[in-house]
């Protein structure tokens, strides 16, 4: 065990996060620390079953339900998909998938200061500190955040997170024109719309600038932060929108972002989509331009500008946070979205940025648009 004092949630706190309680009859065991990790790994054992796992260190804390069967001597994890037993160590145990709700905090390295609450079984997220705009920089700050969350929890919250914890894996078909609802924070909801699907172009074998990984879609968020989770598509579409962006479709595919209706796409749907322009990623001598369904390519021509405008980064969630959206709601148009520091490097690559108006005009002339 490390010098960092071991700590874990109480069962009452677990209830506030939809996590099943730890039974008083389960045995708590701590594994020798892996030389590759700076945290300890402990687990609760029920007979031969591992029921609950805790990762704890000065820069990390995670708790989640588990369902792993140990060998008779408790030295190996019985495999689920192979015939070879897996020696029980800290390194091997943390590679096993959680079974249910998973609360985590990361205080070091990339993404430091982030926390989340997920249903690992349904692959859906209930809380993301990044989306909520909350920086949780230390273990003590994480514990204080937990205390505030639990103190603020109502009976309605308990029912809501329990229902979320009971969800199982599902896949949802989503299409261009679908309106969706997502969670900013426990009782605060945002709304968006799918404008375009690049994966549709792949399936239809249509040429396009295929520089994005995964199955991205173009989505736009409406300027909405609502306590009402039952707004209709007709109500949502009346709100002004933020600039559209590319996003992985996972949150839509697994039903975390809930489809609430479908409508006609705006006439200027292509103009709303991000612009990708450049020579990569294959570097095959072809200069490409993509905005929505508009695609152009030229051979033997170099890209214009002093920097790259490929604009092919794509995340799993909106890169606008709750505090930012609250501020944008009070501003006309895009407000100061294009000059805000968050994701500034990505905004600088986007030719829709007003700062790129001159180069965009030259690019469109070059691509004969």
């Amino acid at each position: 065990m490390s010098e960092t004092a071991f700590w874990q949630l109480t069962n009452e706190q677990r209830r506030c996060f939809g996590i099943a309680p730890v039974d008083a009859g389960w045995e708590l065991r701590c594994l020798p620390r892996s030389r590759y990790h700076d945290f300890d790994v402990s687990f609760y054992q029920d007979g031969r079953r591992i029921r609950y796992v805790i990762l704890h260190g000065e820069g990390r804390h995670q708790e989640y339900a588990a369902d792993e069967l140990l060998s008779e001597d408790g030295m190996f994890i019985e495999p689920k998909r192979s015939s070879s037993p897996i020696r029980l160590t800290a390194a091997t145990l943390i590679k096993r998938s959680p079974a249910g709700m998973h609360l985590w905090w990361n205080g070091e390295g990339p993404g430091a200061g982030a926390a989340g609450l997920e249903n690992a079984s349904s692959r859906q997220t209930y809380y993301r500190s990044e989306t909520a705009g909350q920086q949780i920089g230390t273990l003590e700050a994480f514990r204080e955040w937990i205390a505030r969350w639990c103190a603020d929890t109502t009976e309605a919250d308990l029912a809501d997170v329990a229902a979320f914890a009971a969800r199982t894996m599902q896949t949802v078909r989503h299409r261009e024109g679908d309106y969706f609802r997502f969670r900013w924070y426990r009782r605060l909801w945002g709304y968006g719309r799918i404008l375009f699907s690049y994966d549709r172009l792949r399936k239809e074998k249509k040429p396009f600038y295929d520089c994005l990984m995964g199955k991205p879609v173009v989505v736009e968020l409406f300027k909405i932060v609502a306590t009402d989770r039952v707004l209709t598509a007709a109500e949502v579409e009346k709100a002004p929108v933020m600039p559209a962006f590319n996003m992985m479709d996972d949150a839509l595919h697994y039903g975390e972002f809930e489809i609430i209706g479908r409508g006609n796409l705006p006439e200027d749907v292509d103009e709303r989509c991000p612009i990708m322009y450049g020579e990569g990623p294959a570097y095959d001598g072809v200069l490409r331009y993509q905005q929505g369904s508009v695609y152009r390519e030229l051979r033997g021509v170099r890209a214009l500008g002093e920097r790259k405008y490929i604009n092919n980064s794509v995340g799993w969630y909106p890169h606008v946070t709750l505090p930012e959206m609250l501020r944008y709601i009070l501003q006309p148009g895009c407000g100061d979205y294009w000059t805000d520091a968050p994701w500034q490097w990505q905004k600088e690559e986007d030719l829709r940025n007003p700062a790129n108006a001159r180069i965009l005009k030259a690019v469109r002339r070059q691509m004969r648009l």
Side-chain angles (χ1 to χ4, degrees):
M1 185 72 72
S2 71
E3 296 179 357
T4 303
F6 177 75
W7 164 79
Q8 61 177 308
L9 298 174
T10 66
N11 275 345
E12 186 57 33
Q13 288 174 327
R14 293 185 178 104
R15 182 168 174 252
C16 295
F17 292 101
I19 302 175
V22 168
D23 192 278
W26 296 351
E27 177 188 359
L28 177 63
R29 294 177 56 187
C30 183
L31 296 168
R33 176 178 285 199
S34 165
R35 61 177 178 174
Y36 302 106
H37 302 132
D38 58 356
F39 54 85
D40 294 307
V41 178
S42 304
F43 65 91
Y44 279 96
Q45 184 172 337
D46 175 21
R48 290 175 55 194
R49 290 280 178 184
I50 294 178
R51 297 293 190 185
Y52 198 78
V53 177
I54 303 170
L55 280 56
H56 179 76
E58 189 63 34
R60 174 182 293 197
H61 190 88
Q62 295 176 235
E63 298 197 22
Y64 53 87
D67 185 19
E68 301 292 342
L69 179 64
L70 296 177
S71 58
E72 291 285 354
D73 59 7
M75 300 295 292
F76 294 88
I77 302 173
E78 297 289 349
K80 295 179 180 178
R81 297 182 180 86
S82 68
S83 57
S84 301
I86 303 165
R87 180 171 290 278
L88 175 61
T89 67
T92 58
L93 181 56
I94 65 174
K95 292 180 181 178
R96 313 300 290 177
S97 299
M101 297 297 282
H102 175 196
L103 177 67
W104 61 269
W105 168 76
N106 174 40
E108 299 176 342
L117 177 64
E118 306 163 353
N119 183 332
S121 299
S122 66
R123 299 188 67 170
Q124 297 179 1
T125 297
Y126 190 87
Y127 165 81
R128 293 181 72 248
S129 61
E130 298 99 322
T131 300
Q134 297 178 327
Q135 183 77 7
I136 306 174
T138 65
L139 180 60
E140 184 58 33
F142 179 56
R143 295 183 64 173
E144 291 172 357
W145 174 82
I146 287 173
R148 289 194 302 271
W149 175 286
C150 294
D152 192 42
T153 298
T154 66
E155 288 299 321
D157 292 328
L158 291 174
D160 185 62
V161 74
F164 185 89
R167 293 183 181 182
T168 56
M169 176 75 77
Q170 64 170 326
T171 55
V172 177
R173 182 187 178 195
H174 54 83
R175 299 174 293 172
E176 295 161 336
D178 282 344
Y179 290 78
F180 60 87
R181 173 179 57 238
F182 66 96
R183 197 186 301 264
W184 287 114
Y185 191 61
R186 333 172 64 162
R187 310 179 199 109
L188 296 177
W189 300 88
Y191 292 83
R193 171 169 56 183
I194 304 173
L195 293 180
F196 195 78
S197 169
Y198 298 103
D199 194 53
R200 175 178 62 80
L201 298 182
R202 291 183 183 136
K203 291 178 179 177
E204 295 175 357
K205 301 188 183 304
K206 292 183 177 179
F208 74 105
Y209 194 177
D210 196 354
C211 61
L212 303 169
M213 69 175 186
K215 295 183 178 181
V217 290
V218 178
V219 301
E220 62 181 3
L221 301 185
F222 293 87
K223 287 188 174 184
I224 297 176
V225 175
T227 56
D228 191 346
R229 64 183 297 175
V230 293
L231 295 182
T232 65
E235 293 171 321
V236 168
E237 69 177 354
K238 297 175 183 177
V241 295
M242 296 299 298
F245 58 95
N246 298 325
M247 186 185 79
M248 294 288 191
D249 79 336
D250 295 52
L252 293 158
H253 178 73
Y254 291 111
E256 178 186 333
F257 288 14
E258 300 168 322
I259 304 299
I260 63 168
R262 190 163 185 266
N264 295 326
L265 290 170
E267 293 182 0
D268 62 343
V269 59
D270 289 332
E271 297 175 21
R272 298 189 184 201
C273 293
I275 298 173
M276 286 91 75
Y277 167 77
E279 303 171 51
Y283 296 102
D284 53 2
V286 179
L287 177 64
R288 295 178 171 86
Y289 176 102
Q290 184 87 41
Q291 187 176 26
S293 62
V294 177
Y295 176 67
R296 296 289 187 276
E297 62 179 46
L298 294 173
R299 294 184 178 274
V301 179
R302 301 301 299 273
L304 301 177
E306 298 178 355
R307 59 170 299 140
K308 293 183 178 180
Y309 299 98
I310 295 178
N311 193 26
N312 64 336
S313 59
V314 54
W316 279 266
Y317 289 92
H319 56 267
V320 174
T321 67
L322 172 59
E324 291 165 358
M325 180 58 82
L326 289 170
R327 180 159 47 83
Y328 296 147
I329 287 174
L330 303 177
Q331 300 172 349
C334 299
D336 53 6
Y337 168 82
W338 292 110
T339 56
D340 265 351
W343 294 83
Q344 186 58 38
W345 57 272
Q346 182 175 343
K347 297 170 186 176
E348 291 173 354
E349 284 192 359
D350 195 326
L351 284 169
R352 297 174 302 167
N353 189 327
N356 294 325
R358 182 187 59 81
I359 185 65
L360 175 58
K361 185 177 181 180
V363 165
R364 284 179 168 160
R365 187 186 311 116
Q366 177 193 44
M367 305 306 293
R368 304 187 181 104
L369 292 167

